[in-house]
Amino acid sequence: DARVTQTPRHKVTEMGQEVTMRCQPILGHNTVFWYRQTMMQGLELLAYFRNRAPLDDSGMPKDRFSAEMPDATLATLKIQPSEPRDSAVYFCASGLSGGDTEAFFGQGTRLTVV
Amino acid sequence: KQEVTQIPAALSVPEGENLVLNCSFTDSAIYNLQWFRQDPGKGLTSLLLIQSSQREQTSGRLNASLDKSSGRSTLYIAASQPGDSATYLCAVRIQGAQKLVFGQGTRLTINP
């Protein structure tokens, strides 16, 4: 059963600490999206990769957020230093390139920064 | 800039009713539109994908339509059940950038 896997599922951390979230896309998928979901803003795109190259990270606060794909089976989203306003659910999604394809989402990482 | 709107924000209906959820978008330059379901504290489950060249897609009791020229999509749920209670999100994949732009969702409650 192919699925997008995100770890950890939950993370509570203190303000100022570094947070790393991981995503394993579905095998064979070459596009990866990172989204953040909050009650106020809904789902916002943070970053988008195709064939491991970042195509769009305009939604990401550059001073504290970074996203990478060290290899085709792993995407990471890092926050350093974390702040209480970063508390949200972070979703990873993967798919095939080409506009007519479907996006599949992971279960998300619920981040709480205290 | 593509904007996606879903109306209503919340909907509560008795079990057994047929219902329609609405989604509108401002820019018709899209590849496709996808409807998702999200249960509380869970991820997004894809329900239906409609390509820009298609008018509708069906899966079981769900039927989604797309009118690209008017920037509208509807999700029709037949014979609603309490298990259909969830938040329903629509998202369009915009041409060029290929990213998904989401609406704010409709929170649906089906009362037994």
Side-chain angles (χ1 to χ4, degrees), chain B residues 20-78:
Chain B
V20 174
L21 306 181
N22 297 293
C23 172
S24 62
F25 48 96
T26 56
D27 188 341
S28 62
I30 65 171
Y31 283 124
N32 59 46
L33 185 145
Q34 202 166 345
W35 281 94
F36 294 89
R37 168 186 173 137
Q38 185 175 30
D39 293 286
K42 303 292 186 182
L44 280 69
T45 301
S46 180
L47 296 173
L48 289 165
L49 173 73
I50 312 179
Q51 304 298 349
S52 62
S53 59
Q54 296 176 320
R55 297 286 292 181
E56 64 179 83
Q57 280 287 339
T58 298
S59 176
R61 293 183 294 107
L62 305 179
N63 176 277
S65 68
L66 175 64
D67 184 342
K68 199 174 71 165
S69 62
S70 68
R72 293 180 185 174
S73 176
T74 61
L75 179 66
Y76 175 83
I77 302 177

Side-chain angles (χ1 to χ4, degrees), chain A residues 21 32-38 41-49 54-62 65-67 76-79 86 88-92 111, chain B residues 99-100 102:
Chain A
M21 291 169 271
V32 172
F33 304 86
W34 282 104
Y35 282 86
R36 175 170 62 184
Q37 186 177 39
T38 60
Q41 300 297 327
L43 278 155
E44 304 173 281
L45 180 69
L46 297 176
Y48 165 40
F49 290 80
L55 290 189
D56 185 348
D57 59 2
S58 58
M60 204 164 63
K62 302 292 192 304
F65 284 60
S66 63
T76 62
L77 179 67
K78 187 177 295 186
I79 307 174
D86 301 328
V89 182
Y90 291 81
F91 286 105
C92 173
L111 174 65
Chain B
K99 59 186 179 183
L100 283 171
F102 281 85

Side-chain angles (χ1 to χ4, degrees), chain B residues 75-93:
Chain B
L75 179 66
Y76 175 83
I77 302 177
S80 59
Q81 303 171 357
D84 295 330
S85 298
T87 295
Y88 291 80
L89 295 142
C90 72
V92 296
R93 178 163 283 193

